[in-house]
Amino acid sequence: MSVEADWRAGIDAVDAVLIDEYQSGFPVEPNPFERVAREIVATLSEGSSDGAVDDAPIDGDVTSLGSLDGDAVLERVRTLREQGVFRRFGAVLNPPVIGSSTLAAVQAPEDRFEEVAEVINGYRQVNHNYRRDHEWNQWFVVTAGSRERRDAILAEIEERTGCTVLNLPMLTDYYIDLEFPVVNDDRFARESVESTTVSATRISEEARGNLTPLEAALLIEIQDGFPLTATPYADIADAIDADLDETLAAVDRLLADGCIKRIGCVVNHVVTGFRNNCMVVWNVPDDELDARGESVGSLPYVTLCYHRPRRPEQEWEYNLFTMIHGREAEAVDAKIDELAAEYLPFQHERLYSTETLKQTGARYDELVADAEDDA
């Protein structure tokens, strides 16, 4: 039986708390798993985990939680990663803040589709590429150390493929987060969440991060995840030849500056059942954009909401992007219908992903190197 089919089989109450409540907020301190163990014991002893474990089988009596310690929690995280429930453990980094990032698209002729994809995917700065059911049929993300380098890559792609590139950098972040409960029977992502805090955050295309040498070394070291040890921050500090207290302070700064979005267990949404998603683009009147973006971004079922530029010269009139993730395609479509009827009564298109052409993380050693080259 596949992991996707039976991932719930061995989940108990402790695992459920780890999965749903530690996708962010992982402690930044010398012995973080010991604190997590204490918090889990307190949560389950009080009989409350915000609904995360209502349907999860409890392995043994709650009184046995007294034996739960940091080593036991660490071993559970290792097991969940090995099973594929977690993609990785560590920090979720934020490319638009560290470097200069954009979403781009081309209209690849079907008889040259694979050839065009090969050219695009050959760039190390391209970390995602998807086929979507639209005339703009290849959508990819380019993240470089500077806007100049990013745009040079787009120009090279145009020249090498003969395809005009649609360049759509993020201008405003209303809500972006792929953190949501999965130990439940929700039809769509975050159905059980009651509210979301949003704000209109402007994104600069000139971002370079302004990293100190310690911060740059730290980002490079943690880009693929934290070491799964009892003392991850101490091991990171040793790897970059830094003092532990200075390393912890740097992590706190990077969190505060937005270079690190969150620290915790990164859930594999496909394995845990959220296999369907759709990117919807909307033509919102410019004078209503922020109000509509904040209103829609606050809806629990909207996992991404952001402003990108119109490109009327390329017949692209859309300026608001939303994403919805669901267990079933019908649930996703129903929420898009709700958006169109109640919140965004404007022209829109639904761009379904039909094939993953490339999916990797942005390489931050290369971002830092690009930034230094362009400085």
Side-chain angles (χ1 to χ4, degrees):
M1 186 179 292
S2 69
V3 171
E4 183 176 345
D6 70 350
W7 75 275
R8 291 176 185 265
I11 298 298
D12 66 7
V14 174
D15 290 332
V17 175
L18 274 172
I19 293 167
D20 277 359
E21 298 190 20
Y22 286 92
Q23 295 176 39
S24 65
F26 189 79
V28 182
E29 58 185 58
N31 297 289
F33 286 101
E34 292 294 340
R35 178 175 167 185
V36 171
R38 293 193 298 272
E39 291 175 350
I40 292 174
V41 169
T43 295
L44 294 180
S45 296
E46 292 169 3
S48 171
S49 59
D50 297 327
V53 298
D54 287 348
D55 299 320
I58 296 178
D59 183 14
D61 192 276
V62 173
T63 56
S64 67
L65 288 171
S67 62
L68 188 72
D69 59 12
D71 289 341
V73 171
L74 172 60
E75 187 58 34
R76 285 172 178 266
V77 173
R78 286 175 177 157
T79 298
L80 289 166
R81 189 184 67 172
E82 291 168 0
Q83 292 173 343
V85 175
F86 293 151
R87 289 187 186 276
R88 60 189 179 86
F89 161 72
V92 175
L93 306 184
N94 196 358
V97 175
I98 300 169
S100 187
S101 183
T102 193
L103 175 66
V106 296
Q107 298 176 343
E110 284 301 322
D111 61 348
R112 297 182 53 235
F113 189 89
E114 292 184 3
E115 171 195 338
V116 172
E118 184 176 355
V119 171
I120 293 172
N121 293 346
Y123 286 88
R124 57 180 171 80
Q125 293 89 349
V126 171
N127 50 292
H128 290 80
N129 189 7
Y130 301 97
R131 178 195 279 267
R132 293 192 179 274
D133 188 13
H134 191 268
E135 61 182 336
W136 293 96
N137 55 3
Q138 276 194 49
W139 289 78
F140 55 99
V141 176
V142 177
T143 303
S146 68
R147 180 178 181 176
E148 292 79 11
R149 179 60 181 143
R150 182 201 76 189
D151 291 348
I153 291 168
L154 296 178
E156 288 180 17
I157 288 173
E158 283 195 337
E159 181 179 358
R160 294 179 61 191
T161 65
C163 298
T164 300
V165 172
L166 182 65
N167 180 12
L168 301 171
M170 188 186 305
L171 302 179
T172 309
D173 167 359
Y174 298 111
Y175 182 77
I176 299 178
D177 201 352
L178 286 179
E179 174 190 355
F180 48 79
V182 297
V183 186
N184 53 41
D185 294 318
D186 285 1
R187 297 161 298 163
F188 46 84
R190 306 174 70 252
E191 181 177 6
S192 56
V193 177
E194 294 182 359
S195 64
T196 299
T197 301
V198 302
S199 62
T201 303
R202 308 303 179 195
I203 305 297
S204 171
E205 289 191 76
E206 310 301 334
R208 289 176 180 263
N210 297 319
L211 303 173
T212 67
L214 172 60
E215 291 165 345
L218 175 61
L219 286 178
I220 292 169
E221 183 63 27
I222 67 175
Q223 62 186 330
D224 292 323
F226 285 5
L228 263 175
T229 65
T231 56
Y233 298 106
D235 294 334
I236 292 166
D238 287 344
I240 61 176
D241 194 24
D243 177 78
L244 173 58
D245 288 340
E246 291 178 353
T247 299
L248 292 170
V251 172
D252 282 332
R253 284 197 305 274
L254 291 168
L255 277 165
D257 292 344
C259 291
I260 296 177
K261 292 181 70 69
R262 56 187 168 95
I263 296 175
C265 301
V266 180
V267 169
N268 187 327
H269 301 106
V270 174
V271 167
T272 52
F274 291 92
R275 296 179 297 274
N276 295 276
N277 68 78
C278 185
M279 181 176 79
V280 190
V281 294
W282 309 82
N283 184 355
V284 178
D286 291 339
D287 60 353
E288 299 182 35
L289 183 59
D290 278 352
R292 297 282 186 174
E294 291 186 17
S295 174
V296 169
S298 68
L299 297 172
Y301 58 82
V302 173
T303 49
L304 306 174
C305 183
Y306 40 77
H307 165 212
R308 297 186 186 274
R310 305 178 190 275
R311 299 295 190 203
E313 70 279 6
Q314 294 176 276
E315 300 183 349
W316 184 263
E317 298 292 344
Y318 303 106
N319 59 348
L320 186 69
F321 287 61
T322 59
M323 286 282 293
I324 296 174
H325 291 70
R327 296 191 190 276
E328 305 295 338
E330 293 80 4
V332 174
D333 281 332
K335 302 316 288 186
I336 298 172
D337 291 343
E338 180 180 318
L339 277 181
E342 300 182 21
Y343 299 95
L344 294 169
F346 309 113
Q347 175 192 6
H348 68 279
E349 292 193 62
R350 307 179 186 201
L351 283 70
Y352 294 92
S353 174
T354 59
E355 183 181 358
T356 299
L357 305 172
K358 184 177 183 181
Q359 187 178 45
T360 64
R363 302 303 302 174
Y364 289 88
D365 46 347
E366 295 165 348
L367 290 185
V368 172
D370 283 347
E372 291 173 347
D373 291 343
D374 291 325

